[in-house]
Each structure stands twice: as C-alpha cells, then as structure tokens.
Amino acid sequence: MHIHRLTDRLGGLAFGGDYSPEQWDADVWKQDDELMHQAKVNLATVGVFSWALLEPEEGRYDFEWLDAHLDRLHAAGVAVDLATPTASPPPWFSLAHPDALPVGPDGTRLTHGSRDTYCVAAPAYRLAARRIAAALAERYGDHPALALWHVHNEYVSLCFCDHTAAAFRVWLRARHGSLDAVNEAWNTAFWSQRYTAWEQILPPRASQWHRNPGQSLDFSRFWSDETLAAYREQRDAIRAHSDRPVTTNLMLPGYQNLDLWAFGREVDLVSVNHYPTAPGVDAAAHAAFDADRARSLAGGAPWLLMESGTNTVYAGGRVLAKEPGDILRHSLSHIARGSEGALFFQWRQSKAGAEQWHSSMVPHAGPDSRTFREVTALGEALSRLGELAGSSVRAEVAVLHDSNAWWAMNVDGLPSSELDYLGPLRRAHRTLWDAGTTVDFAHPEHDLGRYRLVLAPALFLLTDAAAENLRRYVAAGGTLLVQHFSGLVDERLHARLGGYPAAPLREALGIRVEEHRPLAQGAEITLSDGSTATVWSESLRTEGAEAVAAYTHGMLTGRPALTRHAFGSGQGWYLSTRLDDSGYRDLVGRLLADAGVAAELPDLPPGVEAVTRYAADGRRWQLLTNHRAGTVPLPEPGHDLLTGGPLHQLPPGGCAVLHRP
Ligand code: GAL
C-alpha cells in the first residue's frame, strides 16, 4: 500500500499539538478555530484520551461528537493526527476486567482513576484495544482531515501480573527452546534457582535480595516485544482501512522499557516527545540529544517532534518556565535535526484535572499572553520553512546506543551504583555538541562504514556480532573510542572469560583488561598527562596498543589508563576510567582532529549551534542558534528564511535558517 507523506498532505512542516475539545464547549471551539488560524496551526492530535467518550460502554461506540470535531477542523484547514485512545482505558473497562489492571513488582494491583491503567499482556485489554482501533479506522480511514494515525500514547508502563507471567513463559520458550537452555542462560545452577517446570518461572517480581540478572534482562526484552506486538495489532487493524501513515509517539530519553530501534522499524514515521530536564543551555543540549536519537531511530528518514512543552522544563521536582525565545530555539533544534515540524502538549491548558498546571499553546491567561504570542511567531516561522520538508541530515560521527546494553546495566548486582547508561551517552553527545559536530546514534551491529569516528561510551553488553562489527570497522579505517565497563558480557550476560572486552574487540583495541578497580565515592585520581578521573579504574595490559596516559596511584601506578592501537587502517582507543569534563573534551577533540572531522561550520565560534539539512536535489539549509552572550557576525551572510531577508549577524539567543543555493 502506498503510504502518504505527512508533509505532502500538509503542504509544509507540521505545527500544532494535542487537542482535547471534549474538555470545552462550543464557544471555546469557535475561539479555537480562530486562534489556530491566527497561529497557523495545521495539525491537531485528537482523541488521545477519548476512550470513555468514544466507547461509553463495552462494544457501544459513539462517534458523532468526533465526526463533528473532525469536520470542523477540516473546515478550518487543520489536518488531524487521530489517536487511538488505548493509553487510558475508561473506569467501566477496569471494573469489567480487573485482571487487566497493572500489577507492580511487589504484587500491588493498581486501580483506575489515572491513566495507563492497563497491562499490555492482558488478553481483555488487547482485544478491546484492537477493537477500538479497528472501529476508528473503519470510520475515519479516509476522512479528508486525516493526515496521520497516532497509535496509543507513549507505551511506557510495565506490569508483573499473572498474564504477564504467562506471556513471558511463551516468549522464553520461543527464545531459548528448552527449559535447560533457560537454566543455562540464567546460570540458575547458582543460588539454587534451577527451574524444573515452565510454570515456576515468574517475572522479576520483588524478592529477598538480588534478582537473577538474566531473568531481568530477558524480561526487559520480552516486555519490549510484547508491547511492540500490541502496537502492531493496532497498526495492522488501521492499515486494513487506511493509507495514511501510522506512528506511535516514543518518550525520549529516560524511559527505557522499549527497544526503540525495533519500534523505529515498525512505524511509518518515527515520532517522539521531548521534555528537557534541565534549564538554559542544557535544555538545548537535551533537545539536540533527543532529536539526534529520533533521526537515528528513523534510519535518517524524516521524523516528527510529536510533543514538547511551551513552558515546560522538569528540573528537580519543579516545572520551570522556559525563557523567552526557547519555544522557537527548541523547536528549531529538532527541525534542524530532521523533524518535519513541531507539535506540543497541549493546545489549550486544562482548566482542571490531572495536568491543569502543565503548560500549553493557549495558557490559562488566554491569547493575550507572551506564550501565545511566541506560539504564533513560531507558527509564522514554520510556515516559511516548508521547502525543508523531506530533506535530511549528514553526520560523520556516531555514538553507539543499544537498549540491551541499557537494560543490562539495570540488573541487580553491578559493582558500582555510579555506573549508569544514560549519563555517559549524554556526556559523549554533549561533548560533540559543544564541538559543533553533528552526531548520529547507531546500533553496535549497524554498518558503521560511513562514520569517521565512533564513540562507545557504555556498551557493558556486547554481542559476538557487535564485537566483530566493531573490529571490522576499525580494521577498515575507522576511529573507535571504547570507554570503561564495556564489552564485558554477551547477550546472555555471561562474562567474557580470559580478559575483557570481547575477543574481537580486544584485537582491535590491542589491550586486555584483567581487573576492575572501582574508586571510592568522591575519590579523584590523576593520570600521567595531568587529567583527573573518578568513579572507576581498571588494570589492563597492552597487547599491541600504546599507552597514551597512565595511572599514577596505588597498584596501578605506571599502568595504562588510556590507550591507542593502530589496527588495520584504523585506530582503536580505549579509556579505562571516567575522565573529568575537560580531559574528556580534550580527548574527544583529539579524536575528531585525528579522524579528520571538522565542526559543521568551523568558521563559527563555539556556542553557535549549526546543523545542515540537505535536499536530494542539492539545495541545503543551515539552521543556526546563537547560545553566546554576544552578537556573532556571520562569516558568510545569507538569505534567512525566518525573516525572509539577508542576514549578516546573529544576536544573542537568535536563530536563523540560511538557504545556501
Ligand atoms: C507526555 C504525555 C502527555 C502529557 C505530557 C506532559 O509524556 O504524552 O500526554 O502528559 O507528557 O508533559
């Protein structure tokens, strides 16, 4: 079936947000039409939390109210991103099917009265979700307002109930083939954990001490697969009636219950939600991190920022307000990295209810407000960027990212609570972002041949295939940096025996790690090059590599801390400790220089963010944001699409989209 491109239908980039007209009355709907027109909104996400209205009792659907809104939006020139409402089952559903309510690891069954009160493995929930998706698709599959299908909303919840246990066992049989293989994979020979019947196996519920790590990792994989199956059922029910693209909005970056690479392959358009967790320039770096991940999950294809907040930064238990101009800056950061538009949660701020204090495009204060003025200015700006639709981004550097490695670092029993997955990834990305380099994320088994430099900040788990892939990458001329605590276990979490990391990678790096020596909390060590490091150290031997910096303390004195190995036509670097920020920045700077990677626009000073989007026909656009305190003259003035005129300098906080013929 030919799937229509979203931007073709919209005639440009998407702009709008979650729209719940069911919270309001006809007077407000009329004002919504006017304000959406004023703000140049062209896409509204409708129906996300509408299950209780759409199916007021089991099997009886009421679509007339939705018909009216879709027709109204269509008449107002706003296309619809129609959601299936399955993230929030109505109370009648939970009362009729209490076994479909989610259960926590400690056995507590949750009740209705919130949202996400479902277990994705519960048969009654799956059936009800398929039914309502099919009913919506049948009714609206070719509605003229319909531009996109939005399955569910953020598949993020977990469940440990008996339905989950039953489905987990089916999954384990398919993955491992036999109970003996499960026992072997999980090394149940230890701690008297041997299973003698499938029915004995449970999800990793609360237990006395460490839960079995293999069980926990397999459970994460299972849960992602189960959730993906639930998504696919809805998608296929929709596809039977509709040729519009289907997506589900992924929550980046903190929720790691899904293998997002797998979701990226199953959606017609990757869409993500982004809410920064730090203010100021950190929020801009967070936006870039998530946007680069979204593009990578999409395999480089266009994707969509489905949700962000006009005034929402979650930091330390507070919701901080964005600074004036952030609405444009953050949206452009996503668009620079391939998003086909910018959407928000939500159009109009709820007057009451669970998200009453969440920011929106039309705040409680109404349209006469700074927020709405900035929203309108953004709509105006995006309406001028239609020519960017379908263009793509090029990166010469990749950061490796694998959900399996992430899940593996969440199991019980790791040697330091300061070892984490996301932190090192963010840091690697941030360091490259500060250097003005455009970055992809890549899976360790992807073909890496197009990258000059690859960073592996956190690859605790590494499959044989990935280790071999990395070896080949270096042999063929790539520059690879592997950081501490990487390549230690295979896909079953079995340690690599005979020295870390996995053998083919050892060959590429020319080292062998023999012993881990975690550092005490707060302890700082100095390396022979004067840089300092914390958290971790390792006793390693070079086997062909040269020591670039050595430890200077304790039993590791004189032993290599940072190594470089000329292997094949490439370079394999290994960093066995956690360098401080300036040491890490210097190292990454050196690797960029060695690998011949220049900043995206080397003539611009640090602090000016720049990304280029390329069209297939040779046109290109440079998207710039000035994070510096002063005005920056542009070495190469150009035509700015945002203002429609020539641009010679960028004021502090200013943005530009320069068309380079
Ligand atoms: C998103 C969610 C929205 C809304 C928003 C608030 O994660 O999809 O429905 O709750 O968070 O930040």
Side-chain angles (χ1 to χ4, degrees):
M1 181 191 290
H2 172 72
I3 304 286
H4 292 263
R5 221 170 69 167
L6 173 69
T7 45
D8 287 347
R9 191 164 278 273
L10 299 180
L13 300 186
F15 179 56
D18 279 46
Y19 181 42
S20 305
E22 61 267 45
Q23 296 186 71
W24 304 98
D25 59 21
D27 287 344
V28 177
W29 300 336
K30 191 162 167 292
Q31 198 196 33
D32 286 340
D33 290 346
E34 289 159 12
L35 294 180
M36 285 189 188
H37 179 73
Q38 191 181 328
K40 294 198 157 66
V41 163
N42 62 7
L43 186 66
T45 301
V46 176
V48 176
F49 299 122
S50 306
W51 197 341
L53 284 190
L54 288 170
E55 192 180 359
E57 60 187 83
E58 185 137 25
R60 182 170 71 77
Y61 296 108
D62 177 4
F63 290 125
E64 280 169 22
W65 68 273
L66 187 56
D67 294 348
H69 287 302
L70 261 51
D71 294 347
R72 176 173 60 85
L73 287 165
H74 186 55
V78 177
V80 167
D81 166 32
L82 185 56
T84 65
T86 52
S88 199
W92 65 254
F93 175 82
S94 304
L95 291 166
H97 304 283
D99 62 305
L101 282 163
V103 173
D106 65 350
T108 307
R109 190 178 288 281
L110 306 180
T111 61
H112 62 276
S114 180
R115 72 187 226 199
D116 293 279
T117 46
Y118 60 86
C119 163
V120 98
Y125 170 76
R126 288 280 275 278
L127 180 64
R130 281 198 304 269
R131 264 199 333 235
I132 195 156
L136 282 164
E138 210 174 322
R139 189 164 187 103
Y140 300 111
D142 55 11
H143 192 287
L146 182 69
L148 180 64
W149 284 100
H150 181 298
V151 168
H152 199 85
N153 185 66
E154 293 182 340
Y155 280 108
V156 295
S157 59
L158 285 172
C159 179
F160 296 80
C161 75
D162 291 343
H163 290 307
T164 299
F168 184 34
R169 291 175 201 131
V170 171
W171 183 93
L172 286 169
R173 269 180 204 260
R175 180 171 175 99
H176 293 282
S178 72
L179 203 52
D180 283 348
V182 175
N183 280 308
E184 164 66 18
W186 297 358
N187 196 27
T188 57
F190 192 55
W191 276 12
S192 183
Q193 291 178 346
R194 188 172 180 77
Y195 294 101
T196 53
W198 288 102
E199 293 66 38
Q200 296 164 357
I201 298 182
L202 297 173
R205 293 178 181 159
S207 194
Q208 179 68 345
W209 204 30
H210 292 169
R211 288 159 300 179
N212 183 296
Q215 179 189 7
S216 296
L217 175 60
D218 269 348
F219 184 76
S220 298
R221 291 177 171 133
F222 149 73
W223 190 257
S224 179
D225 286 355
E226 188 70 20
T227 307
L228 188 57
Y231 162 77
R232 274 206 220 102
E233 286 170 11
Q234 289 201 39
R235 180 200 63 193
D236 295 348
I238 289 168
R239 278 191 183 160
H241 301 282
S242 189
D243 59 7
R244 313 296 147 84
V246 183
T247 188
T248 182
N249 54 340
L250 304 170
M251 183 56 168
L252 301 181
Y255 293 93
Q256 72 275 18
N257 298 340
L258 305 179
D259 179 352
L260 296 180
W261 292 114
F263 273 77
R265 289 190 291 271
E266 299 283 346
V267 293
D268 296 324
L269 175 74
V270 164
S271 68
V272 303
N273 301 345
H274 171 76
Y275 296 95
T277 54
V281 81
D282 290 342
H286 283 191
F289 180 86
D290 277 7
D292 284 332
R293 261 182 83 197
R295 183 186 65 256
S296 304
L297 296 172
W303 56 277
L304 184 62
L305 174 63
M306 182 62 86
E307 283 181 32
S308 67
T310 55
N311 226 338
T312 311
V313 178
Y314 297 103
R318 282 161 208 252
V319 184
L320 301 181
K322 288 192 178 179
E323 291 306 313
D326 276 348
I327 296 179
L328 175 65
R329 282 187 288 273
H330 294 177
S331 300
L332 275 188
S333 169
H334 286 91
I335 290 168
R337 293 174 170 80
S339 176
E340 295 286 66
L343 285 87
F344 294 84
F345 177 87
Q346 58 178 333
W347 163 250
R348 189 180 274 280
Q349 187 167 7
S350 299
K351 61 178 182 284
E355 297 198 81
Q356 177 181 21
W357 304 114
H358 194 283
S359 69
S360 63
M361 300 168 81
V362 184
H364 286 159
D368 184 9
S369 58
R370 177 192 65 84
T371 297
F372 188 68
R373 279 188 283 279
E374 287 201 26
V375 163
T376 305
L378 175 63
E380 175 61 37
L382 297 196
S383 73
R384 299 179 181 181
L385 302 185
E387 63 190 67
L388 270 68
S391 58
S392 57
V393 174
R394 297 177 193 163
E396 294 179 318
V397 181
V399 173
L400 297 184
H401 169 48
D402 177 13
S403 306
N404 281 268
W406 191 335
W407 294 328
M409 290 193 71
N410 284 335
V411 303
D412 297 335
L414 293 190
S416 164
S417 60
E418 289 185 274
L419 291 167
D420 83 310
Y421 182 83
L422 191 56
L425 242 75
R426 270 204 192 284
R427 188 168 189 240
H429 184 273
R430 174 64 184 264
T431 307
L432 293 161
W433 185 77
D434 284 336
T437 312
T438 303
V439 188
D440 276 352
F441 288 90
H443 187 279
E445 292 180 21
H446 283 166
D447 177 6
L448 302 170
R450 82 180 99 130
Y451 300 113
R452 287 169 183 263
L453 173 64
V454 169
L455 304 188
L459 277 186
F460 169 49
L461 178 153
L462 196 66
T463 62
D464 291 348
E468 178 53 32
N469 191 41
L470 297 183
R471 192 195 70 82
R472 264 199 317 264
Y473 167 71
V474 179
T479 299
L480 172 69
L481 172 69
V482 176
Q483 291 173 223
H484 68 275
F485 209 67
S486 286
L488 306 187
V489 296
D490 66 12
E491 64 269 28
R492 300 187 308 172
L493 285 178
H494 288 210
R496 300 290 183 176
L497 303 179
Y500 319 119
L505 188 54
R506 268 194 349 239
E507 198 187 328
L509 299 175
I511 53 134
R512 175 170 171 272
V513 178
E514 196 183 307
E515 187 181 339
H516 292 152
R517 299 191 62 79
L519 300 175
Q521 198 161 22
E524 188 180 272
I525 56 172
T526 304
L527 306 185
S528 58
D529 62 1
S531 58
T532 55
T534 54
V535 178
W536 195 255
S537 64
E538 294 176 355
S539 170
L540 66 91
R541 244 193 266 156
T542 53
E543 293 183 345
E546 68 173 288
V548 178
Y551 289 104
T552 62
H553 77 293
M555 75 157 247
L556 293 183
T557 301
R559 308 199 64 158
L562 171 66
T563 60
R564 172 168 67 175
H565 187 216
F567 178 72
S569 8
Q571 301 283 329
W573 289 74
Y574 186 68
L575 173 62
S576 65
T577 182
R578 188 186 190 284
L579 279 182
D580 63 25
D581 285 346
S582 75
Y584 190 66
R585 191 184 55 232
D586 292 349
L587 172 60
V588 170
R590 177 170 177 186
L591 294 175
L592 286 166
D594 281 5
V597 181
E600 182 87 30
L601 294 179
D603 294 341
L604 289 173
V608 181
E609 187 174 347
V611 185
T612 307
R613 278 184 72 150
Y614 298 85
D617 61 11
R619 285 171 305 156
R620 68 201 163 93
W621 300 267
Q622 290 164 349
L623 289 89
L624 311 179
T625 300
N626 180 9
H627 298 291
R628 295 167 68 90
T631 294
V632 174
L634 296 180
E636 200 193 335
H639 176 78
D640 177 19
L641 297 187
L642 295 179
T643 57
L647 190 80
H648 298 271
Q649 56 183 30
L650 261 188
C655 298
V657 179
L658 300 180
H659 180 209
R660 300 294 190 196

